[in-house]
C-alpha cells in the first residue's frame, strides 16, 4: 500500500501549528504596533501566517482569532492539513461560506467539526480516511449547500455508500453543483438506483465516477421524467409549491466516468437532458467491448439535438491496454461537426479510425471553437490543420497528446495565431527545433508542454529570443536537451525567467547540477519544480534548493526529486531547518525515502506533505492508497 508522510508525523501539541523554524512560545509584554494598523495587516495575511502569529503572544492570538472569524472562505487545497489544525481553526470560522480541504490527513471527526448551516460551498478533496458515514452529517449540518464536491476512496461497500448518499441528498434542497468521485474501485462501485429520486430539482451540474453504463442510462432517463412519485417521497414539512408545473431536471452540465460509452447512453442523455451546455464522458474499460455494444457514428448523431451544447468531451482511456472507438470514422465526426457548430471546446480521445478529414471538419465547422484537445489519434497529421487560421475563431488552447504523425509543420501553421495561450504537444515525438522560432512569437502563450519532443539545446536558444509570458513550461522526456539548453533559455529569456512559476525537467539524462543552479538563480517566481529521474543531479543542487538562498527558490512550494539517484546520504545531515515554505515534496527512490532521520524531521512540519511513493506533484494520481 502507498503511504504518505502522515504516518511519519505525529499530532502537534501546540495550540496552533508552526513551521519547522517555529515561532517562539506565547509571551506577554511583546511590543506591538497600533492595533488598528495591525488589524488591517492581519486581514491581508494568509492562513499560515495567521497561525504562526498566534503563537507569538496572547494579544496576537486574540487578534488572529478575530481575523479568522471574518474570513469568508477557507482554502486548504495547497497542502494537506492534519486533523488538529482543522479542529483548531473550525470554531473560529464564524463567517466562512466556502471551504476547500485536501483531506489526505483528516478523518470524519475533523470534517464534522467544520460543518455548519453557514456553508454554501464544500469541497473535500483526496479523502482516503473518510468513511461513507460522514455523508449524512454533511446533509444534516449543511442544509444550505449550493456546491458540493467529494473525492472518496472506495470502501468496497456500494450498498452502504448509496444508503448514506441518499440520506445526505434528502437534506440538500438547494444544491446546484454536485461532484462525487470514488477512486480505487471497479467501474460498478456503486449503483444509482433510487438516487435520482432525491436529487434536488435545483441541480444544474452533476459529476459522478465511476458509474455502470446501464445504471447511468436508466438513471438519466428518470431525470427527464416529471414524476408525481417524487413529490410523495419529499418530507411532508417541505414546501413543494416551487415544483408545480415542473417538467424534469434542468441539468446543464453532466460529467460521467463509466465502464463503457455506447449509443444507448448518448440517446438517453440527449433525449432526457435537452438543455445540456457541457457534456463530459470518459470510459475506462477492463475488457474489450462487444462489437454491437459500443459507440458508433449513429450515437454521435444524437448530440445534434442538444442545441445549447458548447463544451464536449468524449474520451476512451488507455488503462490496461490501448483502447479506441473502433466503430467511429470520419463520417461520424463530420456529422457531429455539422450538427454542433456552436461548440467552443472539444476534447476527443481514442478515435483511432478518424483521419485528417474528420478532425479538420471540426476545426472548420465550429465557428466559435476556442479549445481543441485530441488524444491518441494515430491517423491525425499536419494536413488537418492546413489553412486553419482564418477559418474559425482563433484558438486559445490547443492540446495534441500522443498523436504520432503530428510534426513541426502543424505547429508552424497553428503558431500564426496571435491568440494562442496554451500549447501542449506531449508525446508528439516528431516535434523538433524548426517550430520553436514560430512558437517564440506567440505573445500570449502562458503554458507550453513540449514533453517528449525531439528538440535540442539550439531550439531552446531560439525559443529564448522570443518575448513569451510563460508561467508553465514542461520539457519532460526531451532527452536531447542538456544543461546548456536550460542555461540559454533562462539567461536570455528575460520575460520567461520573470514569469515562470512551474517547470518540469524530469526524465532528462542531460540535466545536472549546472542546470538546476541556473533554474534556482535565474527564475524570479518559480513555485513548482519537477526534476524526477535526473540521474546526474547531486547533493549540491539539493542544498541550494533546500536553503532557499538564491532566486525564486524562496517561493518554492512544490518540489519533485523522485528517483534522483545521484543524491547521497550525506545530504541528510542537519536538514531539519531547510525547505522553508515548501508544501509538497516527492522523494520516492532517493536516500530520503529510507531515512528514519528524515521521517522524524517531517513530524515538525505540519504544513509540509512528503510523498515517499512516487506520485506526481500533489498526489493526484494515487491518494486513495495513502492510508
Amino acid at each position: 500500500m502507498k503511504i504518505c508522510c502522515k504516518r511519519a508525523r505525529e499530532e502537534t501539541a501546540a495550540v496552533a501549528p508552526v513551521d519547522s523554524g517555529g515561532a517562539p512560545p506565547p509571551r506577554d509584554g511583546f511590543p506591538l504596533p497600533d492595533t488598528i494598523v495591525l488589524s488591517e495587516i492581519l486581514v491581508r495575511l494568509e492562513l499560515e501566517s495567521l497561525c504562526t502569529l498566534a503563537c507569538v503572544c496572547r494579544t496576537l492570538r486574540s487578534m488572529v482569532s478575530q481575523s479568522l472569524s471574518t474570513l469568508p472562505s477557507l482554502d486548504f487545497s495547497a497542502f494537506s492539513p492534519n486533523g488538529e489544525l482543522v479542529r483548531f481553526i473550525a470554531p473560529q470560522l464564524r463567517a466562512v461560506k466556502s471551504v476547500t480541504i485536501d483531506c489526505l490527513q483528516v478523518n470524519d471527526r475533523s470534517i464534522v467539526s467544520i460543518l455548519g448551516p453557514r456553508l454554501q460551498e464544500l469541497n473535500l478533496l483526496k479523502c482516503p480516511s473518510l468513511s461513507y458515514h460522514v455523508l449524512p452529517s454533511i446533509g444534516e449540518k449543511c442544509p444550505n449547500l449550493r456546491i458540493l464536491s467529494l473525492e472518496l476512496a472506495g470502501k468496497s461497500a456500494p450498498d452502504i455508500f448509496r444508503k448514506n448518499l441518499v440520506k445526505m441528498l434528502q437534506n440538500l434542497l438547494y444544491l446546484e453543483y454536485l461532484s462525487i468521485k470514488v477512486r480505487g474501485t471497479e467501474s460498478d462501485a456503486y449503483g444509482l438506483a433510487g438516487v435520482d429520486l432525491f436529487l434536488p430539482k435545483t441541480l444544474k451540474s452533476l459529476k459522478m465516477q465511476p458509474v455502470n453504463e446501464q445504471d447511468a442510462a436508466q438513471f438519466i432517463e428518470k431525470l427527464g421524467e416529471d414524476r408525481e412519485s417524487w413529490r410523495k417521497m419529499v418530507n411532508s414539512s417541505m414546501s413543494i409549491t416551487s415544483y408545480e408545473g415542473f417538467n424534469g431536471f434542468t441539468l446543464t452540465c453532466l460529467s460521467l466516468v463509466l465502464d463503457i460509452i455506447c449509443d444507448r447512453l448518448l440517446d438517453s442523455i440527449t433525449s432526457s437532458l435537452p438543455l445540456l451546455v457541457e457534456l463530459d464522458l470518459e470510459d475506462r474499460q477492463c475488457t474489450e467491448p462487444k462489437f454491437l455494444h459500443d459507440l458508433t457514428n449513429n450515437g454521435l448523431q444524437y448530440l445534434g439535438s442538444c442545441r445549447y451544447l458548447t463544451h464536449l468531451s468524449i474520451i476512451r482511456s488507455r488503462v490496461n491496454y490501448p483502447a479506441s472507438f473502433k466503430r467511429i470514422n470520419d463520417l461520424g465526426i463530420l456529422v457531429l461537426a455539422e450538427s454542433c457548430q456552436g461548440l467552443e471546446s472539444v476534447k476527443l480521445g481514442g478515435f483511432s479510425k478518424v483521419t485528417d478529414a474528420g478532425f479538420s471538419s471540426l476545426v472548420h465547422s465550429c465557428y466559435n471553437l476556442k479549445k481543441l484537445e485530441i488524444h491518441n489519434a494515430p491517423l491525425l497529421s499536419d494536413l488537418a490543420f492546413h489553412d486553419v487560421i482564418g477559418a474559425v475563431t482563433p484558438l486559445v488552447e490547443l492540446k495534441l497528446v500522443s498523436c504520432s504523425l503530428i510534426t513541426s509543420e502543424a505547429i508552424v501553421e497553428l503558431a500564426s495565431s496571435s491568440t494562442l495561450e496554451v500549447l501542449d504537444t506531449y508525446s508528439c515525438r516528431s516535434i523538433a527545433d524548426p517550430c520553436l522560432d514560430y512558437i517564440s512569437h506567440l505573445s500570449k502563450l502562458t503554458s507550453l508542454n513540449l514533453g517528449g519532443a525531439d528538440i535540442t539545446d539550439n531550439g531552446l536558444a531560439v525559443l529564448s529570443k522570443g518575448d513569451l509570458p510563460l508561467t508553465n513550461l514542461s520539457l519532460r522526456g526531451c532527452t536531447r536537451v542538456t544543461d546548456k539548453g536550460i542555461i540559454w533559455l533562462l539567461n536570455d529569456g528575460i520575460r520567461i525567467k520573470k514569469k515562470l512559476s512551474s517547470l518540469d525537467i524530469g526524465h532528462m539524462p542531460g540535466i545536472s547540477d549546472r542546470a538546476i543552479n541556473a533554474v534556482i538563480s535565474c527564475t524570479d517566481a518559480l513555485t513548482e519544480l519537477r526534476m524526477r529521474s535526473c540521474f546526474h543531479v547531486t547533493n549540491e543542487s539539493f542544498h541550494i534548493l533546500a536553503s532557499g538562498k538564491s532566486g525564486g527558490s524562496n517561493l518554492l512550494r512544490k518540489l519533485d526529486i523522485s528517483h534522483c539517484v545521484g543524491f547521497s546520504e550525506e545530504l541528510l545531515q542537519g536538514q531539519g531547518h531547510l525547505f522553508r515554505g515548501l508544501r509538497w515534496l516527492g522523494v520516492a527512490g532517493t536516500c530520503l525515502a529510507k531515512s528514519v532521520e528524515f521521517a522524524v524531521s517531517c513530524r515538525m512540519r505540519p504544513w509540509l506533505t512528503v510523498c515517499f511513493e512516487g506520485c506526481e506533484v500533489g498526489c493526484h494520481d494515487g491518494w486513495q492508497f495513502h492510508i
Side-chain angles (χ1 to χ4, degrees):
M1 299 290 282
K2 291 185 178 182
I3 55 174
C4 213
C5 73
K6 63 178 183 178
R7 278 192 172 179
R9 298 179 185 166
E10 294 179 347
E11 293 284 320
T12 56
V15 294
V18 294
D19 215 327
S20 61
R27 55 192 178 92
D28 295 322
F30 190 83
L32 295 174
D34 184 86
T35 55
I36 298 178
V37 175
L38 188 57
S39 297
E40 289 296 318
I41 295 175
L42 292 181
V43 172
R44 290 164 172 78
L45 291 180
E46 296 180 354
L47 183 60
E48 175 190 359
S49 300
L50 289 174
C51 290
T52 303
L53 281 174
C55 296
V56 175
C57 66
R58 290 188 178 90
T59 302
L60 275 177
R61 182 184 301 174
S62 175
M63 297 186 70
V64 167
S65 295
Q66 183 178 357
S67 180
L68 289 174
S69 68
T70 63
L71 284 178
S73 63
L74 175 68
D75 191 342
F76 274 140
S77 61
F79 75 106
S80 305
N82 59 32
E84 183 181 9
L85 173 58
V86 174
R87 293 192 296 274
F88 170 79
I89 294 291
Q92 305 176 63
L93 300 174
R94 293 186 287 273
V96 69
K97 295 183 179 180
S98 173
V99 171
T100 301
I101 302 179
D102 182 322
C103 300
L104 274 178
Q105 300 186 79
V106 299
N107 54 25
D108 292 8
R109 177 190 171 196
S110 301
I111 294 302
V112 170
S113 70
I114 212 163
L115 302 179
R118 65 191 179 281
L119 288 185
Q120 295 183 9
E121 178 177 353
L122 179 63
N123 302 297
L124 303 181
L125 312 176
K126 295 179 286 187
C127 309
S129 301
L130 291 191
S131 72
Y132 295 151
H133 298 291
V134 78
L135 299 181
S137 297
I138 293 175
E140 293 169 3
K141 294 180 176 292
C142 307
N144 297 310
L145 277 181
R146 265 64 172 178
I147 299 174
L148 175 61
S149 181
L150 303 172
E151 292 183 352
L152 305 172
K155 306 293 184 181
S156 300
D159 292 337
I160 296 177
F161 172 83
R162 185 166 56 251
K163 178 181 178 181
N164 285 283
L165 177 62
V166 167
K167 288 182 178 180
M168 178 184 73
L169 292 174
Q170 284 178 310
N171 293 295
L172 301 180
L173 301 180
Y174 308 107
L175 202 61
E176 298 176 6
Y177 175 96
L178 175 63
S179 176
I180 299 178
K181 299 179 181 179
V182 182
R183 297 287 295 274
T185 60
E186 297 298 329
S187 60
D188 58 348
Y190 58 85
L192 299 175
V195 173
D196 60 294
L197 297 176
F198 299 94
L199 284 179
K201 297 287 186 173
T202 54
L203 199 65
K204 297 293 186 294
S205 179
L206 176 64
K207 300 183 179 183
M208 303 189 79
Q209 80 171 61
V211 183
N212 178 275
E213 176 270 327
Q214 293 184 352
D215 288 346
Q218 296 176 1
F219 173 76
I220 292 167
E221 289 167 2
K222 291 181 180 179
L223 291 185
E225 299 174 358
D226 183 20
R227 301 176 309 281
E228 288 294 329
S229 59
W230 190 92
R231 298 179 183 179
K232 296 178 181 179
M233 299 190 69
V234 178
N235 190 293
S236 57
S237 62
M238 302 178 192
S239 171
I240 61 172
T241 56
S242 59
Y243 300 114
E244 291 296 334
F246 187 80
N247 293 314
F249 283 76
T250 57
L251 280 179
T252 59
C253 177
L254 178 65
S255 177
L256 301 173
V257 176
L258 311 108
D259 55 335
I260 188 171
I261 301 171
C262 63
D263 288 355
R264 181 200 172 187
L265 179 69
L266 267 294
D267 186 19
S268 300
I269 291 174
T270 55
S271 60
S272 301
L273 306 172
L275 300 180
L276 272 183
V277 175
E278 299 183 22
L279 177 60
D280 183 349
L281 301 177
E282 178 180 351
D283 64 13
R284 300 172 181 175
Q285 300 175 348
C286 299
T287 60
E288 187 72 20
K290 297 179 180 179
F291 184 75
L292 297 178
H293 188 65
D294 202 357
L295 185 61
T296 69
N297 292 338
N298 293 331
L300 289 182
Q301 292 183 32
Y302 294 132
L303 293 170
S305 62
C306 294
R307 297 181 298 163
Y308 306 100
L309 195 64
T310 60
H311 296 72
L312 175 65
S313 175
I314 301 179
I315 299 289
R316 176 153 288 174
S317 298
R318 295 181 171 187
V319 181
N320 299 321
Y321 59 89
S324 64
F325 295 105
K326 295 182 175 61
R327 300 188 64 190
I328 293 179
N329 54 31
D330 288 341
L331 179 60
I333 301 298
L334 286 166
V335 173
L336 172 66
E338 193 64 30
S339 59
C340 298
Q341 295 184 1
L343 287 173
E344 299 176 9
S345 174
V346 176
K347 180 178 179 180
L348 301 176
F351 289 78
S352 61
K353 302 295 184 181
V354 179
T355 70
D356 293 331
F359 291 119
S360 179
S361 67
L362 281 172
V363 178
H364 286 82
S365 297
C366 300
Y367 51 85
N368 285 326
L369 191 63
K370 295 179 177 63
K371 297 182 180 181
L372 178 63
E373 185 170 349
I374 300 175
H375 293 242
N376 305 317
L379 300 182
L380 174 65
S381 74
D382 301 340
L383 292 175
F385 302 101
H386 183 64
D387 292 333
V388 65
I389 302 302
V392 295
T393 300
L395 289 170
V396 174
E397 183 175 312
L398 176 67
K399 297 183 179 181
L400 305 175
V401 179
S402 298
C403 299
S404 57
L405 296 183
I406 291 294
T407 72
S408 296
E409 292 186 15
I411 305 304
V412 169
E413 187 78 28
L414 292 160
S416 59
S417 169
S418 60
T419 59
L420 207 59
E421 298 177 7
V422 177
L423 178 60
D424 185 345
T425 60
Y426 181 73
S427 199
C428 294
R429 302 190 180 279
S430 295
I431 300 295
D433 289 348
C435 68
L436 295 183
D437 181 39
Y438 294 88
I439 292 176
S440 68
H441 292 88
L442 295 173
S443 60
K444 295 185 178 180
L445 194 67
T446 59
S447 179
L448 177 62
N449 187 347
L450 297 171
D454 190 32
I455 61 175
T456 67
D457 295 337
N458 292 330
L460 290 186
V462 171
L463 188 66
S464 69
K465 304 302 181 183
D467 190 28
L468 294 177
L470 284 180
T471 58
N472 298 280
L473 174 63
S474 175
L475 302 172
R476 174 178 288 203
C478 294
T479 56
R480 298 181 64 191
V481 173
T482 68
D483 294 338
K484 187 184 298 184
I486 300 298
I487 293 171
W488 284 345
L489 176 67
L490 295 178
N491 279 341
D492 298 336
I494 297 176
R495 198 173 183 190
I496 292 178
K497 62 184 181 183
K498 287 184 177 180
K499 294 284 187 178
L500 194 64
S501 62
S502 175
L503 176 64
D504 189 341
I505 50 175
H507 299 279
M508 298 171 65
I511 297 299
S512 69
D513 292 334
R514 291 184 61 211
I516 303 302
N517 289 339
V519 170
I520 297 170
S521 60
C522 293
T523 55
D524 298 330
L526 195 70
T527 60
E528 181 176 313
L529 176 61
R530 308 181 189 211
M531 44 183 282
R532 61 169 51 199
S533 299
C534 289
F535 305 129
H536 300 296
V537 175
T538 68
N539 293 1
E540 178 185 348
S541 294
F542 183 87
H543 285 299
I544 297 177
L545 283 167
S547 61
K549 293 179 180 178
S550 300
S553 59
N554 288 305
L555 302 175
L556 206 60
R557 293 294 180 263
K558 297 178 181 179
L559 175 64
D560 188 358
I561 58 173
S562 300
H563 307 294
C564 290
V565 296
F567 295 144
S568 67
E569 295 184 359
E570 295 177 359
L571 62 79
L572 296 172
Q573 300 175 4
Q575 299 297 320
H577 65 290
L578 301 181
F579 282 121
R580 294 181 182 274
L582 202 66
R583 295 292 162 261
W584 189 94
L585 176 63
V587 299
T590 67
C591 57
L592 293 175
K594 301 178 182 179
S595 169
V596 175
E597 179 184 348
F598 182 74
V600 171
S601 70
C602 292
R603 301 174 186 174
M604 306 297 293
R605 304 291 297 275
W607 297 90
L608 174 64
T609 298
V610 181
C611 180
F612 294 98
E613 295 300 326
C615 295
E616 292 291 344
V617 168
C619 296
H620 294 291
D621 61 333
W623 57 262
Q624 64 269 26
F625 301 113
H626 289 210
I627 59 175

